[in-house]
Amino acid sequence: MSAKSAISKEIFAPHDERMLGAVQVKRRTKKKIPFLATGGQGEYLTYICLSVTNKKPAQASITKVKQFGGSTSFVRRSQWTLEQLRQVNGIDPHKDSPEFDLLFENAFDQWVASTASEKCTFFQILHHTCQRYLTDKKPEFINCQSKIIGGNSILHSAADSVTSAVQKASQALNERGERLGRAEEKTEDMKNSAQQFAETAHKLAMKHKC
């Protein structure tokens, strides 16, 4: 079982919550250091998780979860409601970067994700969740690439793919309908021609008989 699946099962499922996404992070410092290993006293891994309650009305939250060295379990640390999120800073809108900042009403954290792609995916889910569950006071997304909050996000791409498939299917049906229509017209013309030929042949036969 992956770490994110374990977090979803251990931290959120018991509270009747669904984890929508998570990103592994470390605090941003001037000196770039590798991610801390899971083993060793005082060492830990940190995950920023996005979840929503199953009970209506749904309540979305951002939770800081840690896994301490030598332990296979996860611990829920700080938690904020999505309404408390004020700003999401992607740091650099022109290139893929693992760095990002989260500004809440009462907290400010600077993070580095394990990879730029993991951050990008988490941002896309976070942006979509804000649009879905917040009616007002939506957080500001700044210094983010267009693929994160624009039409090229994974969510929009999925919707575009479905729309494209429906349009292609509809076009194929229309083309098939047109071909069937033309075939029916040809069949009707042949039927009329055959009927006219039969009537003419009958008249000629009666004429010669007389």
Side-chain angles (χ1 to χ4, degrees):
M1 181 184 296
S2 68
K4 293 179 183 178
S5 296
I7 292 173
S8 178
K9 182 178 180 180
E10 293 180 24
I11 300 297
F12 298 105
H15 297 276
D16 198 24
E17 296 177 81
R18 287 185 296 112
M19 191 177 80
L20 304 178
V23 56
Q24 184 182 347
V25 298
K26 66 179 180 181
R27 291 195 178 276
R28 193 162 73 246
T29 60
K30 291 183 179 179
K31 183 179 179 180
K32 302 297 182 181
I33 58 175
F35 268 73
L36 297 175
T38 55
Q41 185 177 3
E43 296 180 346
Y44 57 86
L45 295 176
T46 303
Y47 297 85
I48 302 298
C49 307
L50 179 63
S51 64
V52 64
T53 59
N54 292 317
K55 185 178 179 179
K56 305 298 182 180
Q59 176 70 53
S61 302
I62 295 176
T63 305
K64 186 190 302 179
V65 175
K66 290 189 176 182
Q67 182 184 38
F68 291 93
S71 174
T72 57
S73 61
F74 298 88
V75 180
R76 184 192 297 254
R77 306 296 285 185
S78 306
Q79 186 176 51
W80 302 268
T81 64
L82 200 60
E83 287 83 0
Q84 292 178 300
L85 181 62
R86 291 289 173 260
Q87 186 183 86
V88 179
N89 189 343
I91 306 300
D92 194 332
H94 304 297
K95 66 177 183 179
D96 292 334
S97 168
E99 299 180 348
F100 67 95
D101 298 341
L102 296 179
L103 174 63
F104 298 93
E105 285 182 352
N106 57 354
F108 174 67
D109 285 318
Q110 296 178 310
W111 300 108
V112 180
S114 57
T115 64
S117 61
E118 188 176 5
K119 165 201 161 182
C120 180
T121 300
F122 180 76
F123 268 34
Q124 289 172 342
I125 298 172
L126 178 59
H127 182 265
H128 175 75
T129 303
C130 289
Q131 299 302 312
R132 179 175 180 181
Y133 293 102
L134 298 180
T135 55
D136 52 17
K137 294 184 178 179
K138 295 178 182 179
E140 180 185 20
F141 281 74
I142 63 172
N143 299 320
C144 294
Q145 293 176 290
S146 59
K147 66 181 179 180
I148 293 177
I149 59 177
N152 293 327
S153 70
I154 55 175
L155 300 171
H156 286 86
S157 295
D160 290 343
S161 297
V162 173
T163 301
S164 177
V166 171
Q167 290 176 343
K168 289 180 179 179
S170 177
Q171 182 179 355
L173 288 173
N174 289 336
E175 291 176 352
R176 182 182 179 187
E178 290 176 359
R179 288 195 296 269
L180 289 173
R182 288 195 295 269
E184 289 177 355
E185 289 177 359
K186 290 182 179 179
T187 301
E188 187 66 24
D189 290 342
M190 293 174 65
K191 180 181 178 181
N192 292 335
S193 297
Q195 186 175 358
Q196 290 177 0
F197 178 80
E199 290 177 356
T200 301
H202 178 70
K203 289 178 181 179
L204 288 172
M206 294 298 295
K207 181 178 180 181
H208 287 294
K209 184 176 182 181
C210 295

